[in-house]
Amino acid sequence: MPQRHPWSSQRWLPFAILAFPAIAFSFLLPYFPIDETRYLSVGWEMWNKGSYIVPLQNGLPYSHKPPLLFWLFNLDWLIFGVNEGTLRFIPLIFSMMNVALVHRIAKRLWQDEQVARYAALVLASMLSYLLWSAVIMFDVVLTLWVLLAVDAVISAVKEQRLLWFMQLGVAIGFGILTKGPVVLVYVLPVALFAPFWAPGERPAGRWYASIGLSLLIGIAVLSFWLVPAALTGGETYRRAILWGQTVNRMANSFAHRRPIWWYLPWIPTLLLPWALFPPAWRAWKRLTADPGSRMVMIWCGVSLVVFSLLSGKQVHYLIPVLPAFSLLMAKSIAQEQGDVARWRLPIAILYLILGAGLLTASFINHGRMLRHFDLTEVRWAAGGLFLLGALLFGLRPRTMPALVTRVAVASLACCALVLIGGQTMFLRYDLHPIAQAIREKQAEGYEVLHVDKYHGQFHFMGRLEHPLVELKGADEVGAYVATHDKVALITYEPDKRRIEPVEYFFRQPFRSKQVVLWNRTGIDRYLKEAGAVRKAAESDE
């Protein structure tokens, strides 16, 4: 009979843990360049131009991502009006649904309420998942469709009804609408290997024919957007969405720009703090016997192998795999018996080391390593991390549910302390002031130029209604300003570079640099210095 603890029966706890970062981010933090501000700008331009089929960036069709997340922004603004405060609750809602689905999948695989509660709590309190649930990205949204597809496959294995294959197809279709065909990397291994992880008397031919039907349903769901988008977006956009995001991207992804082992050191980091929780790993060797464990291992293993083979590696590509790890960890934790108090020590030591390390760094060379942080904030956060580790160290839980709950709640405390320690640094990412300055210049009739690639970081922050002029370098800037009177230029300069007030309309700190909106005098200086650099380079040759 599994041991029970009152806290473990509190099903609201994983959702409460997830809600805190989204609320804190909404009130305390800006949207971070480049990804968050770019995606919000695409949604803003769709809203502003009424282009709800073809996403736009800087006035042009944006083909890098499908439209579902941008539609969600527009739905939010339709309900609440154009605002920034409610947007972070979009990933939060999907994140909470993911936790509920993980709970459901665990119960269906193992018929054990305790395992299901562990799985939900482990996923919600992974530091990586906790932070990503408050960030405007595609991966937490994509995870919902992956989990719905996995849930459909589990149901179809037990009962081959058309309904489950329709659910699988719809989940695949919405997954493609969220982030493209990559959803198949997570879903197809579970579906195609079903005869291996759940052998039965079902005919293999009928099973695979049903999977093919699900793929056709997914394509049909996608077609509701793809066909009108291809017809209205123009030839370049049509080629990009039909080939650039499918065949070309897959072909280029086998170029191995990052080594095949690149994900391996990231996996334990993504699983923190549970990577340091011994019961989450000690029983893995006993998990291979049941179909549920085999399915989850195929989900993790094949997805990791495929992503390791692809060159386009990013850490957040593994977010839809984290639920699979949480299921395996929960199953392993539930099998651990005996004295549990000692298993708190590795995580307690982690927080003690983090607190001590951060505090030490704030004093070395007068905190020079943390020069863009407020050292007082850093020391408060370091002290909090040290206290958190000491509390975990000093309190001895008597049951596994109590221990799991304390580790999960400690993740929330760690997240809060990161917010406190980085508050000043995070504000260096706030582009509202410069975006507002750009808006004012455009309203006065200025053409605002941007050197090199513009990622849309200002459009939503400043509610801009006109595109910026993208130019590739000083020569193009010189040619443009020679034929236009009212121009302003955006560049990103070293933090210590001295710039006189007479040379700019506006400037502000940005990351470890400063972003400058030059006026005509500043543009002349920019062109003069660029010319001097070019001549020096030519003389060296």
Side-chain angles (χ1 to χ4, degrees):
M1 176 71 68
Q3 291 179 305
R4 304 261 177 202
H5 186 278
W7 284 19
S8 69
S9 63
Q10 295 172 352
R11 295 186 177 184
W12 53 265
L13 187 57
F15 305 105
I17 290 174
L18 285 171
F20 171 79
I23 296 172
F25 277 37
S26 294
F27 285 102
L28 298 176
L29 296 185
Y31 288 97
F32 287 89
I34 296 174
D35 288 336
E36 282 196 299
T37 50
R38 173 173 55 206
Y39 301 145
L40 289 172
S41 288
V42 172
W44 160 249
E45 289 198 54
M46 291 174 72
W47 173 273
N48 189 43
K49 304 296 182 185
S51 179
Y52 300 111
I53 299 298
V54 178
L56 302 173
Q57 186 197 5
N58 204 30
L60 298 173
Y62 177 72
S63 62
H64 290 196
K65 291 291 186 295
L68 184 67
L69 185 62
F70 311 130
W71 287 342
L72 293 173
F73 300 157
N74 280 260
L75 178 62
D76 180 279
W77 294 330
L78 182 66
I79 298 172
F80 301 106
V82 176
N83 75 96
E84 299 178 19
T86 57
L87 293 171
R88 290 205 185 277
F89 294 96
I90 293 173
L92 173 64
I93 291 169
F94 280 81
S95 177
M96 288 182 169
M97 289 192 287
N98 293 341
V99 167
L101 274 170
V102 163
H103 183 278
R104 168 185 165 88
I105 289 172
K107 282 196 71 173
R108 302 196 72 194
L109 290 177
W110 296 299
Q111 291 79 47
D112 189 323
E113 179 62 27
Q114 191 70 288
V115 174
R117 288 170 180 167
Y118 285 156
L121 206 50
V122 167
L123 178 62
S125 58
M126 282 181 189
L127 290 171
S128 57
Y129 189 79
L130 193 55
L131 293 174
W132 249 285
S133 296
V135 174
I136 300 293
M137 296 282 281
F138 297 86
D139 305 278
V140 169
V141 179
L142 177 64
T143 303
L144 176 74
W145 310 121
V146 172
L147 289 170
L148 281 173
V150 170
D151 179 68
V153 173
I154 294 170
S155 300
V157 162
K158 295 180 178 179
E159 185 184 19
Q160 287 199 51
R161 293 174 57 192
L162 178 61
L163 174 65
W164 307 127
F165 294 103
M166 291 178 65
Q167 178 179 324
L168 174 60
V170 170
I172 288 173
F174 277 92
I176 297 174
L177 281 172
T178 301
K179 204 181 173 182
V182 70
V183 65
L184 299 175
V185 176
Y186 309 101
V187 172
L188 282 187
V190 176
L192 296 178
F193 288 100
F196 298 95
W197 59 262
E201 296 181 355
R202 72 186 69 82
R206 182 180 173 189
W207 174 261
Y208 289 113
S210 299
I211 298 299
L213 174 63
S214 296
L215 291 173
L216 291 176
I217 293 172
I219 293 171
V221 171
L222 174 66
S223 298
F224 283 104
W225 163 74
L226 187 64
V227 172
L231 292 174
T232 60
E235 179 62 26
T236 302
Y237 182 68
R238 182 161 47 249
R239 282 202 305 271
I241 60 174
L242 292 179
W243 299 103
Q245 295 303 308
T246 53
V247 177
N248 291 346
R249 174 161 287 196
M250 291 297 289
N252 293 332
S253 289
F254 281 96
H256 294 287
R257 289 194 297 271
R258 278 176 169 160
I260 195 170
W261 48 264
W262 190 81
Y263 281 119
L264 293 179
W266 278 108
I267 292 173
T269 305
L270 285 169
L271 301 182
L272 284 175
W274 300 100
L276 296 177
F277 191 60
W281 304 101
R282 280 165 53 89
W284 271 40
K285 60 186 177 184
R286 302 195 297 269
L287 295 181
T288 55
D290 68 275
S293 298
R294 288 201 297 269
M295 184 278 282
V296 180
M297 285 185 173
I298 288 172
W299 180 4
C300 288
V302 178
S303 298
L304 287 173
V305 168
V306 173
F307 279 115
S308 296
L309 291 173
L310 301 176
S311 66
K313 297 180 177 65
Q314 296 288 348
V315 174
H316 52 85
Y317 291 176
L318 298 186
I319 294 297
V321 187
L322 294 184
F325 277 105
S326 72
L327 288 166
L328 285 178
M329 288 178 162
K331 181 68 173 169
S332 180
I333 291 169
Q335 295 188 15
E336 194 64 43
Q337 302 294 331
D339 178 22
V340 303
R342 65 187 187 282
W343 303 130
R344 77 197 188 284
L345 297 180
I347 298 175
I349 292 170
L350 167 69
Y351 292 131
L352 288 171
I353 291 174
L354 286 176
L358 201 55
L359 193 61
T360 303
S362 74
F363 285 106
I364 292 177
N365 198 10
H366 303 288
R368 185 170 177 76
M369 286 188 297
L370 302 167
R371 61 183 180 279
H372 293 307
F373 289 79
D374 183 307
L375 294 182
T376 302
E377 292 174 352
V378 169
R379 287 164 189 160
W380 274 108
L385 284 168
F386 199 86
L387 179 62
L388 180 63
L391 284 173
L392 273 178
F393 194 91
L395 299 175
R396 292 176 58 87
R398 291 181 296 178
T399 65
M400 184 63 79
L403 176 58
V404 170
T405 299
R406 290 180 189 184
V407 172
V409 173
S411 291
L412 180 58
C414 178
C415 181
L417 291 168
V418 169
L419 287 173
I420 292 172
Q423 185 64 32
T424 297
M425 177 60 184
F426 294 148
L427 292 179
R428 293 181 70 91
Y429 288 76
D430 185 1
L431 290 175
H432 282 96
I434 184 89
Q436 184 60 37
I438 293 170
R439 177 182 173 84
E440 291 172 1
K441 287 296 128 188
Q442 288 187 332
E444 294 171 9
Y446 280 80
E447 295 280 356
V448 179
L449 317 181
H450 189 282
V451 178
D452 296 329
K453 176 67 177 175
Y454 171 56
H455 296 282
Q457 53 266 43
F458 305 117
H459 259 76
F460 179 63
M461 296 298 104
R463 309 294 194 269
L464 305 186
E465 298 183 357
H466 306 291
L468 305 190
V469 180
E470 289 185 62
L471 300 171
K472 292 182 179 177
D475 290 342
E476 290 193 6
V477 173
Y480 195 93
V481 300
T483 56
H484 294 74
D485 292 329
K486 299 185 73 173
V487 290
L489 173 68
I490 300 169
T491 66
Y492 305 87
E493 304 296 330
D495 196 38
K496 293 183 178 178
R497 182 179 182 184
R498 183 176 177 82
I499 301 173
E500 301 299 332
V502 70
E503 296 175 319
Y504 62 82
F505 291 122
F506 192 85
R507 71 183 177 102
Q508 69 166 83
F510 176 57
R511 295 181 170 173
S512 59
K513 295 186 175 182
Q514 56 180 327
V515 56
V516 184
L517 184 63
W518 301 92
N519 59 21
R520 175 67 76 164
T521 302
I523 294 173
D524 290 341
R525 174 186 173 183
Y526 168 81
L527 294 173
K528 183 178 178 181
E529 292 179 351
V533 170
R534 184 172 58 248
K535 287 181 180 177
E538 290 172 352
S539 64
D540 290 341
E541 292 176 356

